[in-house]
């Protein structure tokens, strides 16, 4: 009876709205903390990425509010996939902070002859890991931007099924989730 009278759909929409708002607030708060940590570590590109991602999250949240929430048909696959990619970008920045701390630790280590070469190798490895994290985020940001533009330009619900960038976003999300393991 609950389903027949339409209350199930209404409950689902309300749940989606609440979840979207909670996810948005949590991610923006986390990114603000990460931005400060990256600044303290002197990782300028990471700090810039945190600021960029905050702006992207705000834009995404506005698109979700105006385009999807409260609508009869909302592309939940798009919403959840985009959110997964955003969360992976946040995780990359979290990892960048950890790498930044390890680089600071390496820089503080005694530089005797034997330890110096080992520390240099560790420094090169960690610097490469940091660059890989930031490069992956650049790719994720491009996919999120491309997808957001296409979603904003979609004229009907049926067009969601034909989105090329949605397929690209899903693919990047899967790749990102595999690289984090």
């Amino acid at each position: 009876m609950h389903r027949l009278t339409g209350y199930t759909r209404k409950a689902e929409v309300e749940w989606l709205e609440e979840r979207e708002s909670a996810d948005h607030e949590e991610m923006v708060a986390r990114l603000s903390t990460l931005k400060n940590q990256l600044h303290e570590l002197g990782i300028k590109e990471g700090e810039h990425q945190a600021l960029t991602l905050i702006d992207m999250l705000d834009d995404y949240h506005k698109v979700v509010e105006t385009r999807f929430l409260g609508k009869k048909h909302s592309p939940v696959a798009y919403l959840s996939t985009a959110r997964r990619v955003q969360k992976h970008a946040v995780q990359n920045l979290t990892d960048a902070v950890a790498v930044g701390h390890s680089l600071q630790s390496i820089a503080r280590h005694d530089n005797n002859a034997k330890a110096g070469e080992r520390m240099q190798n560790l420094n090169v490895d960690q610097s490469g890991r940091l660059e890989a994290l930031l490069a992956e985020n650049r790719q994720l940001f491009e996919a999120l931007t491309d997808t957001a533009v296409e979603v904003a330009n979609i004229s009907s619900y049926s067009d969601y099924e034909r989105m090329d960038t949605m397929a690209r976003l899903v693919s990047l999300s899967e790749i990102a989730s595999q690289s984090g393991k």
Side-chain angles (χ1 to χ4, degrees):
M1 186 66 162
H2 190 70
R3 189 174 296 217
L4 289 174
T5 58
Y7 287 110
T8 301
R9 179 68 183 152
K10 183 180 178 189
E12 288 172 353
V13 169
E14 287 174 4
W15 176 83
L16 181 62
E17 289 176 8
E18 290 171 11
R19 181 173 176 209
E20 166 54 29
S21 290
D23 280 353
H24 177 73
E25 290 173 21
E26 179 184 316
M27 289 177 68
V28 168
R30 179 69 183 133
L31 280 166
S32 293
T33 300
L34 288 169
K35 179 191 72 68
N36 293 336
Q37 291 173 328
L38 291 161
H39 175 78
E40 290 171 8
L41 291 166
I43 303 173
K44 297 212 181 297
E45 184 179 355
E47 181 183 2
H48 176 72
Q49 284 188 4
L51 287 168
T52 299
L53 192 51
I54 288 170
D55 291 340
M56 290 176 87
L57 289 176
D58 286 341
D59 293 340
Y60 170 83
H61 188 67
K62 289 173 188 167
V63 167
V64 169
E65 285 181 329
T66 59
R67 195 83 166 142
F68 303 135
L69 296 183
K71 305 289 192 289
K72 182 177 180 183
H73 299 289
S74 62
V76 176
Y78 164 75
L79 300 175
S80 63
T81 303
R83 188 58 87 196
R84 245 188 347 256
V85 172
Q86 293 164 352
K87 286 180 178 181
H88 190 76
V90 171
Q91 184 59 51
N92 282 349
L93 292 174
T94 300
D95 292 349
V97 167
V99 170
H101 284 296
S102 72
L103 286 167
Q104 278 188 340
S105 179
I106 292 167
R108 286 189 201 106
H109 193 275
D110 245 354
N111 281 334
N112 64 41
K114 186 173 182 173
E117 183 179 330
R118 183 173 169 274
M119 290 298 118
Q120 182 64 23
N121 290 338
L122 287 174
N123 191 332
V124 168
D125 290 346
Q126 289 298 83
S127 295
R129 175 154 162 63
L130 179 60
E131 178 50 37
L133 290 166
L134 298 175
E136 183 176 26
N137 268 6
R138 288 190 292 270
Q139 284 184 312
L140 295 176
F141 289 2
E142 286 177 19
L144 287 168
T145 300
D146 291 347
T147 306
V149 168
E150 189 162 331
V151 166
N153 293 331
I154 287 175
S155 59
S156 71
Y157 176 73
S158 63
D159 288 343
Y160 286 110
E161 297 170 4
R162 294 190 297 265
M163 281 178 48
D164 290 335
T165 54
M166 180 63 187
R168 188 170 47 248
L169 187 65
V170 168
S171 176
L172 267 176
S173 173
E174 291 170 359
I175 292 167
S177 67
Q178 293 301 318
S179 70
K181 292 182 179 178

